[in-house]
Amino acid sequence: MPRRVYLQTFGCQMNEYDTELVRSVLRDRGFAFTSEPAAADVLLMNTCAIREHAHARVHGRLAQWKTLKRTRPVVIGVLGCMAQNLKQELLDAHPAIDVLAGPDAYRRLPELLAQALERRERAVAVELSEYETYDTILPERAPGVNAWIAIMRGCDNFCTFCVVPYTRGRERSRPARSILDEAHALAARGHRQVTLLGQNVNSYRSPAPDGRDFAELLADVADVPGIERVRWTSPHPRDFPPALLDVVAQHPRVCRHIHLPLQSGSDRMLDMMGRSYTRRDYVALVDDIRRRGDIAITTDVIAGFCTETDDEFRDTYDLVREIEFQSAYVFKYSERKHTIARRKFPDDVPEAVKSERVTRLFDLQREISAAHNRRLIGADVTVLVEGRAKKSSRQWMGHTDANVTVVWDKDAAPFAPGDRATIQVNDASASTLFGVPVPALAPAV
Ligand code: SAH
Ligand code: SF4
Ligand code: F3S
């Protein structure tokens, strides 16, 4: 009987991608998978460390799995960023953990699991690598319209609040050739959308002698026959050469959407965060993007970073109102182990003030998003049909170029996932457009 693995993923899209890598590595070595923790021989979780809330969810799940382990022998493994960040501290807190593996250790996972399963020994692998890109492993992807491709790993930016450089190590890019081969294979398997991933995706550079930069790679992936749409995340505002903006503005299969993490609208905060741009630089980049036409801009903002004053928060609030992002993720600053901010600055904004700032930004952005979406009422939008909507099996959904969710009645038209559909919008909320399919024009006789 093959050993059965239950594998749960927390965190960002890079972690979802890594889970697909892990599935491939384990499947190759004879492991099987189950969607039932109660039926598993091995319980694995791929974890995130970006904010304290991510840690709390992992601790909660570990407590549940510990209870399961009391009733039968099961191996518990913790993978990913939190494993890498906390190492021994996590093992000490949870004696039930048998395997701990960081993001660069997944090739060794079969051996680590064997050690735990057969010899009942704890197995730990948390060395970061300067070279590992898993370039030779084809991830095991679920069928679906979208497929992730990690084009680079790690981050060298060391924004002072961020744990990622410590959990994922130094930045390294995969060769463009193998990324393009993978995109061809994905198109042949029926994936219509590819999302290129990296913690700092736009600083991508294909290793010598190829040397292709991100703008070139993006265009090349979008040229792969069968790929209808290319998305990419997450970029840093520092690396936006005009050529990249041109590809986004002009290539018909690159989504007209840029996620552009702002973090703060105050120059003192941006400087303390080590973001390397000013409020003015950021606004100039937004203007540059908008001069090239209708390109949706979304963002990330942190409220309550070390020593942030009311006036400095106000600078962020006013800038968010001025720019009118399509949408924004708003985060409460969460002090992370190892980071520069933790060593250099006091985390001194009271919790209640942080929460209030987050709520104010969230409410503001919800109004802005709703206004953006309401402007589309009466217009036609194009989506790639993805499948059933989250809330109802009678409804179908897809996303616009700008990554806004669109929902319509399934019975209204016989679409299949991967089809392109035109939907006339008749209602809108801050997060969703509702509408009816526009019948394709009959061919002229
Ligand atoms: N590489 C991406 C960031 C990934 S983390 C980038 O540079 O855009 C996603 C978002 O989480 C960040 O943009 C930031 O807004 C938020 N974040 C990161 N560390 C955080 C922390 N310590 N507290 C609160 N939010 C944080
Ligand atoms: Fe973190 Fe900054 Fe790197 Fe993004 S660019 S992953 S915020 S260090
Ligand atoms: Fe979390 Fe690691 Fe992604 S910390 S956000 S899973 S890179």
Side-chain angles (χ1 to χ4, degrees):
M1 269 288 278
R3 306 281 199 169
R4 280 161 308 176
V5 178
Y6 174 82
L7 173 48
Q8 181 175 15
T9 311
F10 297 93
C12 64
Q13 291 135 335
M14 186 64 93
N15 253 19
E16 290 188 33
Y17 178 83
D18 282 359
T19 287
E20 294 172 347
L21 282 175
V22 165
R23 288 179 70 96
S24 167
V25 168
L26 292 181
R27 181 93 65 187
D28 270 2
R29 298 286 289 273
F31 288 86
F33 290 88
T34 169
S35 53
E36 282 302 318
D41 306 295
V42 178
L43 298 171
L44 295 181
M45 61 173 96
N46 192 3
T47 61
C48 173
I50 200 83
R51 286 169 289 274
E52 197 52 36
H53 178 66
H55 277 199
R57 292 179 63 198
V58 167
H59 287 298
R61 186 48 47 93
L62 277 170
Q64 285 176 1
W65 287 4
K66 204 163 68 186
T67 315
L68 241 170
K69 197 173 177 177
R70 285 205 199 99
T71 60
R72 61 195 183 80
V74 59
V75 160
I76 295 181
V78 180
L79 320 178
C81 289
M82 186 172 167
Q84 187 68 41
N85 198 33
L86 296 186
K87 305 186 185 77
Q88 192 59 38
E89 189 182 325
L90 192 60
L91 294 171
D92 292 345
H94 297 279
I97 297 175
D98 303 292
V99 172
L100 197 74
D104 284 347
Y106 298 147
R107 284 181 200 273
R108 290 181 54 200
L109 208 49
E111 284 71 36
L112 301 171
L113 290 182
Q115 188 176 336
L117 283 161
E118 283 144 33
R119 300 208 295 277
R120 293 280 146 202
E121 285 170 9
R122 224 178 202 187
V124 177
V126 285
E127 299 78 36
L128 287 172
S129 155
E130 282 175 35
Y131 312 103
E132 181 63 273
T133 58
Y134 298 111
D135 197 40
T136 53
I137 299 174
L138 192 63
E140 180 179 306
R141 294 185 168 95
V145 171
N146 179 69
W148 316 110
I149 304 183
I151 62 166
M152 51 114 69
R153 299 180 72 88
C155 182
D156 287 347
N157 274 341
F158 289 92
C159 302
T160 59
F161 53 80
C162 183
V163 78
V164 169
Y166 308 91
T167 66
R168 288 186 172 268
R170 297 292 54 77
E171 190 175 303
R172 53 219 115 110
S173 293
R174 277 178 67 178
R177 188 66 262 156
S178 74
I179 295 168
L180 288 166
D181 288 348
E182 199 170 332
H184 278 278
L186 290 169
R189 279 194 55 193
H191 295 282
R192 290 287 162 263
Q193 175 177 298
V194 160
T195 306
L196 304 180
L197 298 178
Q199 265 81 27
N200 194 15
V201 74
N202 51 335
S203 75
Y204 172 87
R205 187 167 289 276
S206 184
D210 182 67
R212 236 172 290 197
D213 70 5
F214 182 64
E216 293 167 305
L217 179 76
L218 188 58
D220 288 348
V221 172
D223 283 338
V224 170
I227 299 293
E228 296 263 344
R229 262 186 180 175
V230 184
R231 295 189 187 280
W232 46 290
T233 201
S234 189
H236 190 291
R238 175 199 289 150
D239 300 304
F240 272 91
L244 175 53
L245 299 183
D246 290 342
V247 174
V248 176
Q250 290 162 15
H251 199 297
R253 288 181 299 282
V254 174
C255 283
R256 293 169 73 83
H257 168 212
I258 296 180
H259 186 66
L260 195 65
L262 166 66
Q263 313 303 2
S264 172
S266 145
D267 280 341
R268 192 181 72 96
M269 288 291 103
L270 287 171
D271 183 46
M272 277 173 64
M273 288 173 167
R275 290 292 288 182
S276 77
Y277 53 87
T278 61
R279 177 189 175 103
R280 240 176 109 176
D281 299 334
Y282 187 94
V283 170
L285 179 54
V286 167
D287 289 345
D288 219 3
I289 294 169
R290 289 188 167 158
R291 263 198 300 276
R292 286 160 208 259
D294 186 19
I295 296 171
I297 305 177
T298 57
T299 201
D300 295 342
V301 180
I302 298 177
F305 184 59
C306 310
T307 73
E308 183 186 67
T309 64
D310 282 337
D311 283 350
E312 285 162 345
F313 169 72
R314 189 80 217 178
D315 287 341
T316 303
Y317 186 90
D318 289 344
L319 189 57
V320 167
R321 189 169 51 196
E322 218 174 275
I323 291 181
E324 297 191 9
F325 295 102
Q326 169 63 44
S327 66
Y329 293 104
V330 182
F331 303 108
K332 194 193 290 188
Y333 173 59
S334 172
E335 188 180 77
R336 311 315 296 143
K337 211 178 164 172
H338 304 308
T339 55
I340 299 163
R342 180 177 167 130
R343 274 180 273 133
K344 283 178 58 177
F345 312 128
D347 177 16
D348 58 354
V349 178
E351 200 53 28
V353 175
K354 284 184 185 173
S355 296
E356 196 220 306
R357 290 177 184 171
V358 166
T359 307
R360 285 179 57 197
L361 274 175
F362 182 85
D363 290 347
L364 168 66
Q365 183 56 47
R366 199 179 38 206
E367 273 175 39
I368 295 169
S369 298
H372 270 295
N373 291 348
R374 274 199 304 268
R375 260 175 244 141
L376 289 170
I377 292 177
D380 292 350
V381 294
T382 306
V383 301
L384 270 189
V385 179
E386 285 167 51
R388 60 160 286 191
K390 267 199 199 114
K391 287 189 183 151
S392 161
S393 59
R394 290 207 302 274
Q395 289 182 319
W396 274 41
M397 65 84 86
H399 287 87
T400 64
D401 233 39
N403 213 18
V404 181
T405 309
V406 184
V407 165
W408 65 94
D409 245 0
K410 184 175 176 186
D411 294 337
F415 289 126
D419 286 350
R420 236 173 218 283
T422 305
I423 308 290
Q424 186 177 55
V425 179
N426 56 24
D427 200 3
S429 71
S431 62
T432 311
L433 301 171
F434 305 88
V436 288
V438 178
L441 288 178
V445 254

PDB file of all heavy atoms in Angstrom, residues 13 16 20 141-149 186 190-197 229-231 384-386 418:
ATOM      1  N   GLN A  13       0.533  32.704  -3.344  1.00  0.00           N
ATOM      2  CA  GLN A  13       0.493  31.867  -4.550  1.00  0.00           C
ATOM      3  C   GLN A  13       1.782  31.079  -4.720  1.00  0.00           C
ATOM      4  O   GLN A  13       1.770  29.969  -5.242  1.00  0.00           O
ATOM      5  CB  GLN A  13       0.260  32.771  -5.765  1.00  0.00           C
ATOM      6  CG  GLN A  13      -1.128  33.356  -5.757  1.00  0.00           C
ATOM      7  CD  GLN A  13      -1.123  34.824  -6.082  1.00  0.00           C
ATOM      8  OE1 GLN A  13      -0.119  35.521  -5.883  1.00  0.00           O
ATOM      9  NE2 GLN A  13      -2.228  35.329  -6.586  1.00  0.00           N
ATOM     10  N   GLU A  16       1.274  27.994  -2.990  1.00  0.00           N
ATOM     11  CA  GLU A  16       0.405  27.072  -3.746  1.00  0.00           C
ATOM     12  C   GLU A  16       1.225  26.357  -4.803  1.00  0.00           C
ATOM     13  O   GLU A  16       1.082  25.161  -5.032  1.00  0.00           O
ATOM     14  CB  GLU A  16      -0.758  27.827  -4.385  1.00  0.00           C
ATOM     15  CG  GLU A  16      -1.751  28.318  -3.357  1.00  0.00           C
ATOM     16  CD  GLU A  16      -3.001  28.889  -4.001  1.00  0.00           C
ATOM     17  OE1 GLU A  16      -3.403  28.399  -5.068  1.00  0.00           O
ATOM     18  OE2 GLU A  16      -3.550  29.846  -3.429  1.00  0.00           O
ATOM     19  N   GLU A  20       2.404  22.240  -5.283  1.00  0.00           N
ATOM     20  CA  GLU A  20       2.349  21.429  -6.506  1.00  0.00           C
ATOM     21  C   GLU A  20       3.700  20.754  -6.769  1.00  0.00           C
ATOM     22  O   GLU A  20       3.752  19.609  -7.232  1.00  0.00           O
ATOM     23  CB  GLU A  20       1.945  22.312  -7.703  1.00  0.00           C
ATOM     24  CG  GLU A  20       0.519  22.850  -7.569  1.00  0.00           C
ATOM     25  CD  GLU A  20       0.151  23.885  -8.640  1.00  0.00           C
ATOM     26  OE1 GLU A  20       1.056  24.369  -9.342  1.00  0.00           O
ATOM     27  OE2 GLU A  20      -1.054  24.193  -8.749  1.00  0.00           O
ATOM     28  N   ARG A 141       0.007  19.752 -11.343  1.00  0.00           N
ATOM     29  CA  ARG A 141      -1.001  20.807 -11.324  1.00  0.00           C
ATOM     30  C   ARG A 141      -2.404  20.229 -11.381  1.00  0.00           C
ATOM     31  O   ARG A 141      -2.652  19.279 -12.124  1.00  0.00           O
ATOM     32  CB  ARG A 141      -0.798  21.759 -12.491  1.00  0.00           C
ATOM     33  CG  ARG A 141       0.499  22.531 -12.369  1.00  0.00           C
ATOM     34  CD  ARG A 141       0.618  23.532 -13.467  1.00  0.00           C
ATOM     35  NE  ARG A 141       1.698  24.465 -13.205  1.00  0.00           N
ATOM     36  CZ  ARG A 141       2.928  24.329 -13.682  1.00  0.00           C
ATOM     37  NH1 ARG A 141       3.245  23.302 -14.426  1.00  0.00           N
ATOM     38  NH2 ARG A 141       3.855  25.215 -13.396  1.00  0.00           N
ATOM     39  N   ALA A 142      -3.287  20.857 -10.628  1.00  0.00           N
ATOM     40  CA  ALA A 142      -4.703  20.496 -10.726  1.00  0.00           C
ATOM     41  C   ALA A 142      -5.206  21.021 -12.064  1.00  0.00           C
ATOM     42  O   ALA A 142      -4.719  22.041 -12.545  1.00  0.00           O
ATOM     43  CB  ALA A 142      -5.469  21.145  -9.588  1.00  0.00           C
ATOM     44  N   PRO A 143      -6.182  20.318 -12.691  1.00  0.00           N
ATOM     45  CA  PRO A 143      -6.726  20.880 -13.916  1.00  0.00           C
ATOM     46  C   PRO A 143      -7.416  22.203 -13.605  1.00  0.00           C
ATOM     47  O   PRO A 143      -7.884  22.406 -12.484  1.00  0.00           O
ATOM     48  CB  PRO A 143      -7.744  19.832 -14.382  1.00  0.00           C
ATOM     49  CG  PRO A 143      -7.956  18.915 -13.242  1.00  0.00           C
ATOM     50  CD  PRO A 143      -6.847  19.096 -12.258  1.00  0.00           C
ATOM     51  N   GLY A 144      -7.456  23.094 -14.555  1.00  0.00           N
ATOM     52  CA  GLY A 144      -8.073  24.396 -14.296  1.00  0.00           C
ATOM     53  C   GLY A 144      -7.601  25.360 -15.359  1.00  0.00           C
ATOM     54  O   GLY A 144      -6.721  25.041 -16.150  1.00  0.00           O
ATOM     55  N   VAL A 145      -8.192  26.537 -15.348  1.00  0.00           N
ATOM     56  CA  VAL A 145      -7.871  27.510 -16.379  1.00  0.00           C
ATOM     57  C   VAL A 145      -6.472  28.081 -16.148  1.00  0.00           C
ATOM     58  O   VAL A 145      -5.678  28.242 -17.063  1.00  0.00           O
ATOM     59  CB  VAL A 145      -8.936  28.624 -16.381  1.00  0.00           C
ATOM     60  CG1 VAL A 145      -8.527  29.767 -17.298  1.00  0.00           C
ATOM     61  CG2 VAL A 145     -10.275  28.049 -16.824  1.00  0.00           C
ATOM     62  N   ASN A 146      -6.150  28.359 -14.873  1.00  0.00           N
ATOM     63  CA  ASN A 146      -4.869  28.992 -14.544  1.00  0.00           C
ATOM     64  C   ASN A 146      -3.814  27.974 -14.136  1.00  0.00           C
ATOM     65  O   ASN A 146      -4.128  26.961 -13.519  1.00  0.00           O
ATOM     66  CB  ASN A 146      -5.070  29.968 -13.384  1.00  0.00           C
ATOM     67  CG  ASN A 146      -3.775  30.658 -12.973  1.00  0.00           C
ATOM     68  OD1 ASN A 146      -3.235  31.481 -13.708  1.00  0.00           O
ATOM     69  ND2 ASN A 146      -3.255  30.293 -11.810  1.00  0.00           N
ATOM     70  N   ALA A 147      -2.571  28.262 -14.477  1.00  0.00           N
ATOM     71  CA  ALA A 147      -1.444  27.507 -13.908  1.00  0.00           C
ATOM     72  C   ALA A 147      -0.387  28.501 -13.445  1.00  0.00           C
ATOM     73  O   ALA A 147      -0.120  29.494 -14.124  1.00  0.00           O
ATOM     74  CB  ALA A 147      -0.854  26.573 -14.958  1.00  0.00           C
ATOM     75  N   TRP A 148       0.209  28.239 -12.267  1.00  0.00           N
ATOM     76  CA  TRP A 148       1.283  29.095 -11.755  1.00  0.00           C
ATOM     77  C   TRP A 148       2.606  28.632 -12.342  1.00  0.00           C
ATOM     78  O   TRP A 148       2.824  27.428 -12.470  1.00  0.00           O
ATOM     79  CB  TRP A 148       1.419  28.969 -10.231  1.00  0.00           C
ATOM     80  CG  TRP A 148       0.155  28.980  -9.446  1.00  0.00           C
ATOM     81  CD1 TRP A 148      -0.407  27.928  -8.783  1.00  0.00           C
ATOM     82  CD2 TRP A 148      -0.688  30.099  -9.187  1.00  0.00           C
ATOM     83  NE1 TRP A 148      -1.554  28.329  -8.141  1.00  0.00           N
ATOM     84  CE2 TRP A 148      -1.749  29.652  -8.374  1.00  0.00           C
ATOM     85  CE3 TRP A 148      -0.650  31.447  -9.571  1.00  0.00           C
ATOM     86  CZ2 TRP A 148      -2.767  30.493  -7.935  1.00  0.00           C
ATOM     87  CZ3 TRP A 148      -1.659  32.276  -9.135  1.00  0.00           C
ATOM     88  CH2 TRP A 148      -2.699  31.809  -8.334  1.00  0.00           C
ATOM     89  N   ILE A 149       3.497  29.577 -12.629  1.00  0.00           N
ATOM     90  CA  ILE A 149       4.892  29.216 -12.900  1.00  0.00           C
ATOM     91  C   ILE A 149       5.771  30.132 -12.053  1.00  0.00           C
ATOM     92  O   ILE A 149       5.738  31.360 -12.234  1.00  0.00           O
ATOM     93  CB  ILE A 149       5.307  29.408 -14.380  1.00  0.00           C
ATOM     94  CG1 ILE A 149       4.397  28.617 -15.328  1.00  0.00           C
ATOM     95  CG2 ILE A 149       6.749  28.969 -14.568  1.00  0.00           C
ATOM     96  CD1 ILE A 149       4.831  28.730 -16.797  1.00  0.00           C
ATOM     97  N   LEU A 186       1.987  23.547 -20.679  1.00  0.00           N
ATOM     98  CA  LEU A 186       0.740  23.915 -19.992  1.00  0.00           C
ATOM     99  C   LEU A 186      -0.362  24.215 -21.001  1.00  0.00           C
ATOM    100  O   LEU A 186      -1.518  23.811 -20.822  1.00  0.00           O
ATOM    101  CB  LEU A 186       0.971  25.131 -19.095  1.00  0.00           C
ATOM    102  CG  LEU A 186       1.842  24.858 -17.877  1.00  0.00           C
ATOM    103  CD1 LEU A 186       2.233  26.150 -17.193  1.00  0.00           C
ATOM    104  CD2 LEU A 186       1.105  23.939 -16.910  1.00  0.00           C
ATOM    105  N   GLY A 190      -4.163  22.320 -21.805  1.00  0.00           N
ATOM    106  CA  GLY A 190      -5.444  23.014 -21.746  1.00  0.00           C
ATOM    107  C   GLY A 190      -5.500  24.196 -20.791  1.00  0.00           C
ATOM    108  O   GLY A 190      -6.552  24.813 -20.638  1.00  0.00           O
ATOM    109  N   HIS A 191      -4.385  24.524 -20.128  1.00  0.00           N
ATOM    110  CA  HIS A 191      -4.408  25.742 -19.301  1.00  0.00           C
ATOM    111  C   HIS A 191      -4.429  26.947 -20.234  1.00  0.00           C
ATOM    112  O   HIS A 191      -3.658  27.014 -21.184  1.00  0.00           O
ATOM    113  CB  HIS A 191      -3.181  25.805 -18.395  1.00  0.00           C
ATOM    114  CG  HIS A 191      -3.146  24.710 -17.374  1.00  0.00           C
ATOM    115  ND1 HIS A 191      -3.902  24.737 -16.229  1.00  0.00           N
ATOM    116  CD2 HIS A 191      -2.487  23.532 -17.347  1.00  0.00           C
ATOM    117  CE1 HIS A 191      -3.687  23.633 -15.525  1.00  0.00           C
ATOM    118  NE2 HIS A 191      -2.833  22.883 -16.186  1.00  0.00           N
ATOM    119  N   ARG A 192      -5.319  27.876 -19.976  1.00  0.00           N
ATOM    120  CA  ARG A 192      -5.449  29.041 -20.854  1.00  0.00           C
ATOM    121  C   ARG A 192      -4.806  30.284 -20.258  1.00  0.00           C
ATOM    122  O   ARG A 192      -4.609  31.280 -20.931  1.00  0.00           O
ATOM    123  CB  ARG A 192      -6.947  29.314 -21.124  1.00  0.00           C
ATOM    124  CG  ARG A 192      -7.593  28.272 -22.000  1.00  0.00           C
ATOM    125  CD  ARG A 192      -7.112  28.438 -23.448  1.00  0.00           C
ATOM    126  NE  ARG A 192      -7.343  27.252 -24.253  1.00  0.00           N
ATOM    127  CZ  ARG A 192      -6.421  26.304 -24.493  1.00  0.00           C
ATOM    128  NH1 ARG A 192      -5.203  26.397 -24.003  1.00  0.00           N
ATOM    129  NH2 ARG A 192      -6.700  25.262 -25.237  1.00  0.00           N
ATOM    130  N   GLN A 193      -4.538  30.243 -18.958  1.00  0.00           N
ATOM    131  CA  GLN A 193      -3.923  31.392 -18.294  1.00  0.00           C
ATOM    132  C   GLN A 193      -2.688  30.929 -17.533  1.00  0.00           C
ATOM    133  O   GLN A 193      -2.724  29.892 -16.872  1.00  0.00           O
ATOM    134  CB  GLN A 193      -4.916  32.027 -17.320  1.00  0.00           C
ATOM    135  CG  GLN A 193      -4.320  33.153 -16.484  1.00  0.00           C
ATOM    136  CD  GLN A 193      -5.352  33.808 -15.591  1.00  0.00           C
ATOM    137  OE1 GLN A 193      -6.325  34.384 -16.063  1.00  0.00           O
ATOM    138  NE2 GLN A 193      -5.158  33.703 -14.288  1.00  0.00           N
ATOM    139  N   VAL A 194      -1.629  31.705 -17.628  1.00  0.00           N
ATOM    140  CA  VAL A 194      -0.419  31.427 -16.863  1.00  0.00           C
ATOM    141  C   VAL A 194      -0.165  32.626 -15.961  1.00  0.00           C
ATOM    142  O   VAL A 194      -0.302  33.768 -16.400  1.00  0.00           O
ATOM    143  CB  VAL A 194       0.770  31.190 -17.822  1.00  0.00           C
ATOM    144  CG1 VAL A 194       2.079  31.378 -17.107  1.00  0.00           C
ATOM    145  CG2 VAL A 194       0.697  29.807 -18.448  1.00  0.00           C
ATOM    146  N   THR A 195       0.156  32.379 -14.691  1.00  0.00           N
ATOM    147  CA  THR A 195       0.548  33.466 -13.789  1.00  0.00           C
ATOM    148  C   THR A 195       2.008  33.275 -13.410  1.00  0.00           C
ATOM    149  O   THR A 195       2.371  32.253 -12.810  1.00  0.00           O
ATOM    150  CB  THR A 195      -0.333  33.491 -12.533  1.00  0.00           C
ATOM    151  OG1 THR A 195      -1.702  33.546 -12.922  1.00  0.00           O
ATOM    152  CG2 THR A 195      -0.006  34.689 -11.658  1.00  0.00           C
ATOM    153  N   LEU A 196       2.843  34.242 -13.803  1.00  0.00           N
ATOM    154  CA  LEU A 196       4.271  34.168 -13.491  1.00  0.00           C
ATOM    155  C   LEU A 196       4.490  34.691 -12.078  1.00  0.00           C
ATOM    156  O   LEU A 196       4.023  35.774 -11.725  1.00  0.00           O
ATOM    157  CB  LEU A 196       5.068  35.009 -14.491  1.00  0.00           C
ATOM    158  CG  LEU A 196       4.852  34.650 -15.967  1.00  0.00           C
ATOM    159  CD1 LEU A 196       5.692  35.565 -16.858  1.00  0.00           C
ATOM    160  CD2 LEU A 196       5.195  33.187 -16.226  1.00  0.00           C
ATOM    161  N   LEU A 197       5.201  33.907 -11.274  1.00  0.00           N
ATOM    162  CA  LEU A 197       5.350  34.238  -9.859  1.00  0.00           C
ATOM    163  C   LEU A 197       6.804  34.482  -9.474  1.00  0.00           C
ATOM    164  O   LEU A 197       7.708  33.812  -9.961  1.00  0.00           O
ATOM    165  CB  LEU A 197       4.853  33.073  -8.984  1.00  0.00           C
ATOM    166  CG  LEU A 197       3.405  32.667  -9.073  1.00  0.00           C
ATOM    167  CD1 LEU A 197       3.162  31.458  -8.161  1.00  0.00           C
ATOM    168  CD2 LEU A 197       2.500  33.819  -8.680  1.00  0.00           C
ATOM    169  N   ARG A 229      -3.996  34.313 -21.713  1.00  0.00           N
ATOM    170  CA  ARG A 229      -3.774  35.403 -20.773  1.00  0.00           C
ATOM    171  C   ARG A 229      -2.549  35.135 -19.918  1.00  0.00           C
ATOM    172  O   ARG A 229      -2.363  34.007 -19.466  1.00  0.00           O
ATOM    173  CB  ARG A 229      -4.946  35.450 -19.787  1.00  0.00           C
ATOM    174  CG  ARG A 229      -5.958  36.462 -20.141  1.00  0.00           C
ATOM    175  CD  ARG A 229      -6.959  36.514 -19.037  1.00  0.00           C
ATOM    176  NE  ARG A 229      -7.952  37.492 -19.376  1.00  0.00           N
ATOM    177  CZ  ARG A 229      -9.033  37.709 -18.652  1.00  0.00           C
ATOM    178  NH1 ARG A 229      -9.244  37.008 -17.566  1.00  0.00           N
ATOM    179  NH2 ARG A 229      -9.894  38.618 -19.005  1.00  0.00           N
ATOM    180  N   VAL A 230      -1.783  36.184 -19.670  1.00  0.00           N
ATOM    181  CA  VAL A 230      -0.664  36.063 -18.737  1.00  0.00           C
ATOM    182  C   VAL A 230      -0.830  37.100 -17.633  1.00  0.00           C
ATOM    183  O   VAL A 230      -1.108  38.274 -17.896  1.00  0.00           O
ATOM    184  CB  VAL A 230       0.702  36.268 -19.446  1.00  0.00           C
ATOM    185  CG1 VAL A 230       1.843  36.029 -18.466  1.00  0.00           C
ATOM    186  CG2 VAL A 230       0.824  35.332 -20.640  1.00  0.00           C
ATOM    187  N   ARG A 231      -0.714  36.624 -16.388  1.00  0.00           N
ATOM    188  CA  ARG A 231      -0.672  37.521 -15.232  1.00  0.00           C
ATOM    189  C   ARG A 231       0.688  37.372 -14.576  1.00  0.00           C
ATOM    190  O   ARG A 231       1.414  36.411 -14.849  1.00  0.00           O
ATOM    191  CB  ARG A 231      -1.767  37.146 -14.218  1.00  0.00           C
ATOM    192  CG  ARG A 231      -3.182  37.333 -14.745  1.00  0.00           C
ATOM    193  CD  ARG A 231      -4.191  37.164 -13.619  1.00  0.00           C
ATOM    194  NE  ARG A 231      -5.536  37.181 -14.119  1.00  0.00           N
ATOM    195  CZ  ARG A 231      -6.215  38.296 -14.432  1.00  0.00           C
ATOM    196  NH1 ARG A 231      -5.648  39.480 -14.284  1.00  0.00           N
ATOM    197  NH2 ARG A 231      -7.447  38.223 -14.891  1.00  0.00           N
ATOM    198  N   LEU A 384     -12.334  35.082 -18.943  1.00  0.00           N
ATOM    199  CA  LEU A 384     -12.073  33.676 -19.240  1.00  0.00           C
ATOM    200  C   LEU A 384     -12.951  32.898 -18.261  1.00  0.00           C
ATOM    201  O   LEU A 384     -12.861  33.112 -17.051  1.00  0.00           O
ATOM    202  CB  LEU A 384     -10.616  33.327 -18.944  1.00  0.00           C
ATOM    203  CG  LEU A 384      -9.585  33.486 -20.038  1.00  0.00           C
ATOM    204  CD1 LEU A 384      -8.270  32.882 -19.570  1.00  0.00           C
ATOM    205  CD2 LEU A 384     -10.022  32.796 -21.321  1.00  0.00           C
ATOM    206  N   VAL A 385     -13.771  32.011 -18.797  1.00  0.00           N
ATOM    207  CA  VAL A 385     -14.694  31.258 -17.931  1.00  0.00           C
ATOM    208  C   VAL A 385     -13.881  30.286 -17.078  1.00  0.00           C
ATOM    209  O   VAL A 385     -13.079  29.515 -17.600  1.00  0.00           O
ATOM    210  CB  VAL A 385     -15.714  30.483 -18.796  1.00  0.00           C
ATOM    211  CG1 VAL A 385     -16.655  29.674 -17.913  1.00  0.00           C
ATOM    212  CG2 VAL A 385     -16.479  31.440 -19.697  1.00  0.00           C
ATOM    213  N   GLU A 386     -14.062  30.361 -15.745  1.00  0.00           N
ATOM    214  CA  GLU A 386     -13.252  29.511 -14.870  1.00  0.00           C
ATOM    215  C   GLU A 386     -14.011  28.322 -14.303  1.00  0.00           C
ATOM    216  O   GLU A 386     -13.451  27.265 -14.072  1.00  0.00           O
ATOM    217  CB  GLU A 386     -12.664  30.346 -13.732  1.00  0.00           C
ATOM    218  CG  GLU A 386     -11.518  31.200 -14.236  1.00  0.00           C
ATOM    219  CD  GLU A 386     -11.087  32.265 -13.260  1.00  0.00           C
ATOM    220  OE1 GLU A 386     -10.853  31.930 -12.089  1.00  0.00           O
ATOM    221  OE2 GLU A 386     -10.995  33.437 -13.684  1.00  0.00           O
ATOM    222  N   GLY A 418     -12.409  27.854 -19.629  1.00  0.00           N
ATOM    223  CA  GLY A 418     -11.382  28.166 -20.631  1.00  0.00           C
ATOM    224  C   GLY A 418     -11.925  28.970 -21.803  1.00  0.00           C
ATOM    225  O   GLY A 418     -11.163  29.576 -22.546  1.00  0.00           O
TER     226      GLY A 418
END
